[in-house]
Amino acid sequence: MTMNTRLFTAALLVGSGMASVAGAADFQHRFYGGLGLGISQLEPETKNTGFEVDDKQDLGGKVYLGMDFARRWSAEIYYGDLGAAALDNPNKDTQGDIDYALFGLAALYHFYNNRGTDGLMRRAGWDWFAKAGVGSLDNSSDLPFKKQKGTHVMLGLGTEYGWDNGFAIRLEGETFDQDVQFVSVGLLKRFGGDHTSARTAPPTPVAPPPVAAEPPEPPPVPVPAPMPVVPESTPMIGDADSDGVNDEDDACPDTLPGSEVNEQGCDVFSGVLEGVQFESGSARLTTQSQEVLQGVALELLQHPDVRVAVMAHTDNSGAAKANLALSKQRAISVVRYLMSLGVAVKRMRPVAYGESRPRASNATPEGRLANRRVEFQRIE
């Protein structure tokens, strides 16, 4: 691979990673640090020098600090001491070493995880990545030599296995220009964020208001007659929540006093927001969902006294902790979008339930679709 090709590949990978920062709002950034030990293959240019490379391999090590800034992207700085290549000049009976040390900045693209989106979000399980970087290359030797350049372009491929406590083992192979290759195994630790995806309990759901007791039935009125007769009383049809819909026809018998209700007696600001969906495995609203929420925002702006809980739910696909974290991100995503349309943040409260409150069976695709939903609940 030529130098120009290496530079283009590294620039493309690093540039793509930086462009992903803008779309990483729903990802919990984490810092990490690690070290690796391995074997280096060192092949300095000896043409027309009289020297031969006597020993191309040596033990090397490196340390690195990095940050996971998006679901598929990380960036790290690294320093490596890759050992030395042994040289020999049989004509002059001269031996010596050339040492290799390097420092640089790299971008990592995580292209596969055996746990899917959950694994990528938490860097857990088996995770495969490609990397590219640029940096400085320093050589020192007890032999007279000429340094051709002080920079390097790095390309690499590796895999990690991460645990929920933030520790991970890493195996990777890297090439630095044409004369240095390094294969290493190492240990790293991630800090910050939430490695178990979500440990925060969902907010306490809003308790429904107490149901007012029905008024007592009035006593029968005696009718004057030769013989006193007590007439049969007609049962009074109640309206416990005083919403104007009789209890026998009221599908939502415990709406808050003063709530605007539909023909079924249900609060128009409570219930499932039909048509609000997200891109698979993320909290990004689809274009259709944004159109639905634009109509919701208009209704909220016309009723400035209404406050709502924005409750997000998922189906049971994947780990329960990951689903809880995803529902939290989706509830916040809806609140942020409504804020961008002029709805005051103090009027909304995001609530996450994950897979804990299904409204249909998760055994069928239809049921799982029904369980992936966002609901409103009017609050006082």
Side-chain angles (χ1 to χ4, degrees), residues 14-72:
V14 174
S16 299
M18 297 301 105
S20 298
V21 174
D26 59 345
F27 183 83
Q28 294 183 342
H29 298 179
R30 287 182 296 273
F31 291 94
Y32 63 88
L35 56 87
L37 298 174
I39 298 176
S40 55
Q41 180 83 4
L42 309 170
E43 301 184 48
E45 177 61 51
T46 60
K47 186 177 180 180
N48 299 325
T49 65
F51 282 90
E52 299 176 353
V53 180
D54 187 49
D55 188 357
K56 300 179 180 180
Q57 294 185 344
D58 200 359
L59 296 178
K62 71 171 186 174
V63 294
Y64 48 90
L65 296 174
M67 182 180 74
D68 301 315
F69 62 85
R71 182 172 62 177
R72 292 187 180 274

Side-chain angles (χ1 to χ4, degrees), residues 93-164:
D93 193 23
T94 304
Q95 295 86 31
D97 298 326
I98 295 182
D99 299 314
Y100 285 78
L102 45 85
F103 175 82
L105 170 66
L108 286 73
Y109 176 71
H110 302 263
F111 58 86
Y112 174 76
N113 188 290
N114 69 322
R115 297 187 186 179
T117 299
D118 176 49
L120 286 170
M121 296 288 285
R122 299 188 292 121
R123 297 293 191 262
W126 281 111
D127 185 270
W128 288 84
F129 60 87
K131 62 190 302 188
V134 293
S136 64
L137 179 63
D138 182 39
N139 299 112
S140 60
S141 177
D142 52 0
L143 297 172
F145 76 101
K146 179 181 180 182
K147 182 186 294 186
Q148 291 184 341
K149 58 181 182 296
T151 60
H152 70 267
V153 176
M154 181 271 288
L155 297 176
L157 185 67
T159 184
E160 290 179 2
Y161 184 84
W163 289 274
D164 289 336

Side-chain angles (χ1 to χ4, degrees), residues 214-226:
E214 294 186 13
E217 186 175 330
V221 179
V223 178

Side-chain angles (χ1 to χ4, degrees), residues 314-317 355 357-373:
T314 68
D315 60 24
N316 68 347
S317 300
E355 62 185 58
R357 294 194 174 188
R359 66 170 180 169
S361 171
N362 279 304
T364 65
E366 294 78 11
R368 291 192 292 273
L369 178 62
N371 291 333
R372 297 192 296 269
R373 66 196 189 278

Side-chain angles (χ1 to χ4, degrees), residues 76 82 128 134 154 171-172 179 189-190 206 217 260:
E76 61 186 40
L82 304 187
W128 288 84
V134 293
M154 181 271 288
L171 175 66
E172 61 183 332
D179 55 350
K189 176 69 170 72
R190 287 184 164 86
V206 180
E217 186 175 330
E260 182 178 350

